[in-house]
Each structure stands twice: as structure tokens, then as C-alpha cells.
Amino acid sequence: MYQPPRVQVIGEMLWSRLRALTPQRVRPARSMLLRQGDPATHVILLDSGSALVTLAGASGGQTLLAVRGAGELLGELAVLDDRPRTATVIAAEACHVHIVPAPEFLKFVNTHELLTPLLRHAIARVRESDAVRFELATASVPVRLASALGRLVKASSTVSAEHSVPLTQAELSQLIGASRNAVGSALRPWREEGWVRTASGGGLLVCNIHAIQSHAQMQT
């Protein structure tokens, strides 16, 4: 059974107490939640919605490292080691968040002896990002796109069989380091099979992520 990250790391009771430290706020889609290089002044609790973790390259382009969904803690590693942010986090859709100042968060961590589980979780995330970067450097466009869609679907707030991916084809192409034409070519057979289609308000509706990922692997 799926468990939200908050349950795996600190448990529902402590998550509720952490949420209670600050009021809930709304951040619109495409807003920047954390910026790469900024000082670590706070952490963010993601109550609802999903967010993109991206890394800026030397040329200014953004690479998608991960997608975070409801129940995630954002920016805690930079606060724990008192270093600048190592990635940018952008709201993929409208998000409800709690913004906890660094001193209050560190006091909470010390009081409840959460340093070890949080560091273990952070290390697992770093390994995940390294695996994504290796995939971006070596895999074909269909595989990279299918993997990115899989991460977006997993973090989606959609509860129906069709999962909303609120990104345009141009945004997807930038995030996986491919041309827009290459992304369009990868999407074409998936559209023809009915596994993905364009949403009425923009973005994509993913209807069968397992079929998409299987097809992508077969093309390698």
C-alpha cells in the first residue's frame, strides 16, 4: 500500500504538528517555491498539488530531476546543512503549502530527534536525482519522456483514471533535454493508441502510463 512520504519519514502525528507551526498558503501554478542558489531560510510542506525539482545548466536550461507530490517536505537538506539551495522547485499546478522558517524547523527536528530519518530520506533523493541525470545522458527521447511522465503521474493530485500533466510539449522538451520535434515524435504513437491526449485546458492527460513506458522501452 502506498504511503505518503510524510508517513515514511516522520509519521502522520509529527507531520500534523509541523503543519500547525504556520498557516496554510496557496501558490499558483508555475510559481517558484524554491530557487537554486538562494540561502536556506525555510522549508516547505506540500499539502496538495505537485512540484517540479529542476537543475539549471550552464546554458540556462532547466533539467527535470524529480517531481514531488502532496505530503513532501521541500528544501530541508539545505536547511539541515546550512548551505544554499542546490535546485529550483516550481509548482506544476496550484499548491497548498506551509512555509516553516529554518530556526523553527531545526528546533522541531532536534526536539523530536528527526535528524537521522530526514538525512536518510535526503540521501535517497540524491541517489534518485543521480539516476535521473544518468538516464538523461544515456537514454533515448521516448524513454526519457516516458520516465518524466511517470514521475509526473505518480505525483499528480488527479484521482481519476486519467492523470493530468499540466505541462506543455515545449516545457516537457526543455525538462528532458530534447527538441520539441523529438518530443512530438515520441508522443505521436502514444496519442494514436489513446494512451495520452491533449487536455482541454492545456497540458496532457495520461491514460495508460504503463503502456507508454513499455512501448518506450521496446524502441531502444
Side-chain angles (χ1 to χ4, degrees):
M1 178 182 296
Y2 171 75
Q3 289 185 319
R6 62 176 179 261
V7 177
Q8 300 174 24
V9 182
I10 68 174
E12 288 284 11
M13 183 179 68
L14 289 181
W15 178 264
S16 296
R17 290 182 183 178
L18 188 56
R19 288 174 68 249
L21 293 178
T22 59
Q24 187 184 79
R25 301 181 185 183
V26 179
R27 290 292 181 263
R30 302 299 187 275
S31 61
M32 189 171 295
L33 304 180
L34 301 171
R35 188 193 305 270
Q36 184 176 338
D38 278 0
T41 57
H42 59 277
V43 300
I44 293 178
L45 284 69
L46 188 57
D47 258 353
S48 69
S50 56
L52 310 174
V53 182
T54 66
L55 182 68
S59 61
Q62 297 289 323
T63 298
L64 178 62
L65 295 181
V67 183
R68 305 297 179 208
E72 285 278 11
L73 190 59
L74 307 173
E76 78 282 7
L77 182 57
V79 168
L80 291 173
D81 69 358
D82 194 25
R83 299 290 297 275
R85 308 285 187 198
T86 57
T88 291
V89 181
I90 301 168
E93 56 189 317
C95 295
H96 289 85
V97 303
H98 294 262
I99 302 172
V100 181
E104 292 184 42
F105 176 71
L106 291 172
K107 181 180 178 181
F108 188 90
V109 169
N110 291 331
T111 299
H112 298 286
E113 299 181 344
L114 295 174
L115 182 58
T116 297
L118 285 172
L119 286 176
R120 285 175 179 165
H121 187 58
I123 290 169
R125 282 178 169 178
V126 170
R127 288 174 176 164
E128 175 192 347
S129 296
D130 287 344
V132 170
R133 274 183 267 200
F134 178 77
E135 178 183 86
L136 289 171
T138 60
S140 65
V141 171
V143 170
R144 280 146 52 194
L145 180 58
S147 294
L149 290 176
R151 293 191 290 276
L152 287 158
V153 163
K154 184 177 179 181
S156 172
S157 60
T158 306
V159 295
S160 66
E162 294 181 338
H163 296 274
S164 175
V165 173
L167 299 178
T168 66
Q169 188 170 310
E171 289 170 326
L172 284 170
S173 66
Q174 182 183 30
L175 288 172
I176 67 167
S179 70
R180 186 172 178 177
N181 287 341
V183 169
S185 296
L187 286 172
R188 190 173 301 115
W190 304 343
R191 291 184 191 274
E192 292 171 354
E193 294 290 345
W195 300 335
V196 65
R197 60 190 178 87
T198 302
S200 57
L204 298 174
L205 286 176
V206 177
C207 309
N208 193 334
I209 186 60
H210 299 297
I212 288 171
Q213 292 175 330
S214 295
H215 182 269
Q217 290 294 340
M218 290 173 60
Q219 306 309 304
T220 58

